[in-house]
Amino acid sequence: MALCAKKHPPEEERRARANDREYNERFQYASNCIKTSKYNILTFLPVNLFEQFQEVANTYFLFLLILQLIPQISSLSWFTTIVPLVLVLTITAVKDATDDYFRHKSDNQVNNRQSQVLINGILQQEQWMNVCVGDIIKLENNQFVAADLLLLSSSEPHGLCYIETAELDGETNMKVRQAIPVTSELGDISKLAKFDATDCTSSGGTLVFCSGEVICEPPNNKLDKFSGTLYWKENKFPLSNQNMLLRGCVLRNTEWCFGLVIFAGPDTKLMQNSGRTKFKRTSIDRLMNTLVLWIFGFLVCMGVILAIGNAIWEHEVGTRFQVYLPWDEAVDSAFFSGFLSFWSYIIILNTVVPISLYVSVEVIRLGHSYFINWDKKMFCMKKRTPAEARTTTLNEELGQVEYIFSDKTGTLTQNIMVFNKCSINGRSYGDVFDVLGHKAELGERPEPVNFSFNPLADKKFLFWDPTLLEAVKMGDPHTHEFFRLLSLCHTVMSEEKNEGELYYKAQSPDEGALVTAARNFGFVFRSRTPKTITVHEMGTAITYQLLAILDFNNIRKRMSVIVRNPEGKIRLYCKGADTILLDRLHHSTQELLNTTADHLNEYAGEGLRTLVLAYKDLDEEYYEEWAERRLQASLAQDSREDRLASVYEEVESDMMLLGATAIEDKLQQGVPETIALLTLANIKIWVLTGDKQELLQSLLVETAVNIGYSCKMLTDDMTEVFIVTGHTVLEVREELRKAREKMMDSSRTVGNGFTYQEKLSSSKLTSVLEAVAGEYALVINGHSLHSVFQAHALEADMELEFLETACACKAVICCRVTPLQKAQVVELVKKYKKAVTLAIGDGANDVSMIKTAHIGVGISGQEGIQAVLASDYSFSQFKFLQRLLLVHGRWSYLRMCKFLCYFFYKNFAFTMVHFWFGFFCGFSAQTVYDQYFITLYNIVYTSLPVLAMGVFDQDVPEQRSMEYPKLYEPGQLNLLFNKREFFICIAQGIYTSVLMFFIPYGVFAEATRDDGTQLADYQSFAVTVATSLVIVVSVQIGLDTGYWTAINHFFIWGSLAVYFAILFAMHSNGLFDMFPNQFRFVGNAQNTLAQPTVWLTIVLTTVVCIMPVVAFRFLKLNLKPDLSDTVRYTQLVRKKQKAQHRCMRRVGRTGSRRSGYAFSHQEGFGELIMSGKNMRLSSLALSGFTTRSSSSWIESLRRKKSDSASSPSGGADKPLKG
């Protein structure tokens, strides 16, 4: 395994000779072994402990343990710290070991896969880890590709083979690869054995060429590009991505193939793309780290105060009692006694942050994750796919999301393409009209077109306009040429299992839909070879000679084929994006272009995906010259792609327009409602996609129509839609500036003639822009976001300008963006807005975005599982996102916040009693409670009730969480647990500790037992304080619990019962007989709790501690209720009304029904309405919740947060008010 981890210097080029391991080993290329595990048997313990003690909390508790081992300063036994510390370390180590075991298992499974390698002219079985660069491998059908291979030959004609790349790029469509013609005949082992470098020639010591040698680009992560040259038989042959089989692919529908290993192991493109997943932490985790540091500072301050008190007491008072209370041998002064006392109190008071806090947090998060996994309402019956929480550390962050970044195709849409409409020679087909000439809706349409004339038609294909089929049957030349182009210009593969049963394997659903449409209209693509395409045109088989394929890429945005028909005529067919193709048409097509452009706009307005079709006739002489230039460009060692693009550009000009296609990609079920609900929750949704802006606008228009005015993501009523398409930094900056100026101009005068300042400080600009009147949308092109080679919006000096403009808009759409740009947009919002972001997608191109966002969600859809594997949460449909956030996310945030508030409260109440006691025990570091109570307090007595609250608590039922999306806002504003709430919790804890100590202390000073003896003694006082504490914190958690279950009752009252059981057991004769040195105070608990004075003291302490909390909550509920309080109140009113209604139904009555209304009508909502508390009208009504409390304080805090999170450049101006 050492080879797996070995690092190699960067390469400038890769040289690989076939069947020559000795030569290839000189370059020290990486082996094919992979290693993703972290530990082995020897390194696990030291490395894992080292990693765990990098956590501040673990190091802190280890430090305390060391202090407790020093007898001069420790008043607590070492097991009070070592037991929970070892428990935490063990649990974490077991978890890490389990994870690494599965990584080892996965690595071994992959590395030990068998592969057939050609060695010394014989095929031998070799493990994957032993495969080397330059080896020739034989693959068989359905086998994984072991390394990045150059395809040499296959069982299919002309060296073709079919692969599935779902694990590589997420696409499930079949892809075709082809060996170069010169090697496609090397299907025999004897021939492959001679494919070596035995015929190398040199001149003057300089290598001229070598047989069977490949020189290519160094290892990189570009999945769709490869550039190299094969030297063989004194010739050079260009190599491209079409000749490569990449590791992670699966061979399909091909009996066998042979390949030459070019890249192995970590050098393969699959491994080059598997970047490390960023460790994600929640905002609560980050806040906790800060609070722990503050608490530690507070702990040090208390220790210093008590240490100073000890030094003063020992100097002034203690010296008088040296006979009775001598100092230890090591103590020679009051100052040194104070120094030791400081460390003793650090040990005693450390329970303000117990280690059980971290264990409890992980248990609660694990419970929340299981709730997501078990949620039947997020289970997709169609795909039999449940929701899955792939991480347990981010659940509460789901309740704080402010920005969602979504892919479109396959995420918002179904990624199932249907040929819907087309434009041919200026006429649009696809709409159906009634007798009055009105466009018929889908439900009003007649029967679909009958394709029975075509025995090869796809029976699943539906089309509604019969005029198109009539044009085909009548032999319209333009219509025939249109479908001829669709049947020829593609890379689809055809398979015919039975006579007439065709199966198309397309690289994209769009391409498959177009070829299927041509098939049904009589132009059936039947088969292909590397040099020919066979099409059945209206029943006649015609074979075209395929001269060239000018393939599609993201820069060209078009695809062309050059074919020669049986008459010898050469024609170029091209299809591509309208923005590209319309500029390459012959000037004679201008009139047709205008008509087609109108059709394109109409199609885009309906949410359809459009392509333009064109052709060009080529003469033989011109084609020969062009083909020679293309060959020279393909052989170039440098700038090969640029040279080929230039050659392609030349031939794809002055084309003749044929028409356009329109394909429908429908929205997924529930997408409009989900977008509406999330928008009402004040979550901003940005769409990042590769589609063009016209399509995205129409998509969101359709969405807005479906969900009504409740979610106007992009509508005709918007004030303006800004489209940014600049290619230079000046163009982009100018377009963004104009957009901001228009938004400011529309809001320049706001009420009573108040005018905005002409110049605003940059720190306030974002908050002002976000408050502008009107609704705007921003659509920005990928060119304008490009930040690698040119200066555009994501360059440093443009980031704020883009962000300020985007955040002021209702909808933001980023079109034609690359995976890298998706991640950059997410990172931009994370950096400057300080908001929680969520990215959701379904394809491999969404992985970088998913990994960059605070929370990544993968949809298991049509494009493989790459997005799911990189995600934190996964499910099968976009609509489940509303439940993930508004129910599980909000509840997780609520539960975690209530858990933390209560945990800090109960531990400060517990620990601060030691601080007050220090002033009455000579600052001697004596504890109030016995050491067993200290050990068990957080582990047994109070652990389960707070866990139950943290796992099961609810403020409102799940139906109300979905019905009132405004309930989500407190999480976005971080209202439930922040620094202010933390200080309130510790203040309540300190207040409780004061009463907990001084009430029993005051009572015990004068109280007597039933027999008249003095009640006060140390053990009785300890039992009274401990019992008061357990009862008070139990009552407090009862007040904090909003949703009672049988588990809550069992844990709370069970913990009280366990406390008393253990208390009486530790003071029993039985334990004293077994451990006389440990349990000396026999009968103390029984005697103390038998005194009425003690119980009156406990009751008084409990009442005085709890009553202020009850009073405060009562007043808050009536004077300043939260939205959740209002929802609960209306829910109770409705339940009461229903109960009264049922009672009224049971009452029998006779007499006239003339006054039935007066007698049957229940008590109305008049008083409730006048009080302003009846806010449960509808989701939309609550979205504008404006009672005297809820809306005002939420909006006030939102403005404050917006100001603090705006541009960091700063400014002294106060925020402007409208």
Side-chain angles (χ1 to χ4, degrees), residues 1004-1211:
F1004 273 55
E1006 303 293 337
T1008 58
R1009 299 181 185 270
D1010 292 341
D1011 58 2
T1013 59
Q1014 183 69 24
L1015 178 61
D1017 65 71
Y1018 171 72
Q1019 282 297 321
S1020 298
F1021 181 76
V1023 169
T1024 304
V1025 174
T1027 305
S1028 300
L1029 175 64
V1030 172
I1031 293 175
V1032 167
V1033 297
S1034 297
V1035 174
Q1036 180 65 47
I1037 200 169
L1039 293 175
D1040 289 344
T1041 301
Y1043 180 72
W1044 285 87
T1045 66
I1047 296 176
N1048 293 84
H1049 282 289
F1050 179 76
F1051 281 174
I1052 292 176
W1053 315 127
S1055 295
L1056 274 174
V1058 168
Y1059 163 73
F1060 284 109
I1062 293 177
L1063 178 66
F1064 290 131
M1066 287 194 301
H1067 294 85
S1068 65
N1069 290 321
L1071 281 181
F1072 174 76
D1073 293 339
M1074 289 185 289
F1075 308 102
N1077 293 327
Q1078 297 293 327
F1079 302 97
R1080 303 169 182 169
F1081 303 98
V1082 179
N1084 178 69
Q1086 294 87 334
N1087 294 336
T1088 302
L1089 296 179
Q1091 303 300 317
T1093 304
V1094 171
W1095 281 109
L1096 287 173
T1097 302
I1098 293 172
V1099 171
L1100 177 63
T1101 303
T1102 303
V1103 170
V1104 176
C1105 288
I1106 296 300
M1107 281 308 296
V1109 178
V1110 175
F1112 173 78
R1113 294 186 181 182
F1114 177 81
L1115 293 173
K1116 181 178 179 296
L1117 190 63
N1118 283 272
L1119 300 178
K1120 196 176 180 181
D1122 295 335
L1123 180 56
S1124 58
D1125 299 328
T1126 307
V1127 172
R1128 284 197 302 271
Y1129 180 76
T1130 55
Q1131 186 179 0
L1132 290 173
V1133 170
R1134 281 203 306 276
K1135 286 183 179 179
K1136 181 180 178 182
Q1137 295 268 333
K1138 289 179 180 178
Q1140 291 176 352
H1141 186 61
R1142 284 194 295 269
C1143 291
M1144 292 296 293
R1145 283 181 174 179
R1146 297 192 192 105
V1147 177
R1149 177 177 73 80
T1150 61
S1152 173
R1153 298 182 60 86
R1154 185 170 50 189
S1155 300
Y1157 174 82
F1159 286 98
S1160 66
H1161 191 60
Q1162 330 165 36
E1163 180 180 351
F1165 286 95
E1167 182 179 352
L1168 181 63
I1169 293 173
M1170 294 300 293
S1171 70
K1173 296 176 182 176
N1174 63 320
M1175 295 312 298
R1176 195 269 179 230
L1177 297 177
S1178 67
S1179 296
L1180 299 182
L1182 276 173
S1183 68
F1185 187 65
T1186 55
T1187 56
R1188 58 185 175 275
S1189 58
S1190 298
S1191 179
S1192 59
W1193 64 271
I1194 284 182
E1195 293 304 321
S1196 174
L1197 280 168
R1198 185 172 295 287
R1199 284 195 295 270
K1200 291 180 181 178
K1201 183 178 180 185
S1202 178
D1203 291 342
S1204 63
S1206 56
S1207 304
S1209 49

Side-chain angles (χ1 to χ4, degrees), residues 151 158-161 176-181 242-244 529-531:
L151 179 61
H158 311 288
L160 292 173
C161 77
V176 62
R177 294 293 183 263
Q178 183 177 8
I180 59 176
Q242 284 298 111
N243 311 124
M244 296 295 294
T529 71
K531 296 298 182 182

Side-chain angles (χ1 to χ4, degrees), residues 93 132 144 160 363 382 420 578 887 931 981 995 1059 1072 1125 1170:
C132 300
F144 279 94
L160 292 173
V363 171
K382 183 178 179 180
N420 191 287
D578 53 358
V887 177
Q931 60 184 7
E981 292 297 321
L995 299 177
Y1059 163 73
F1072 174 76
D1125 299 328
M1170 294 300 293

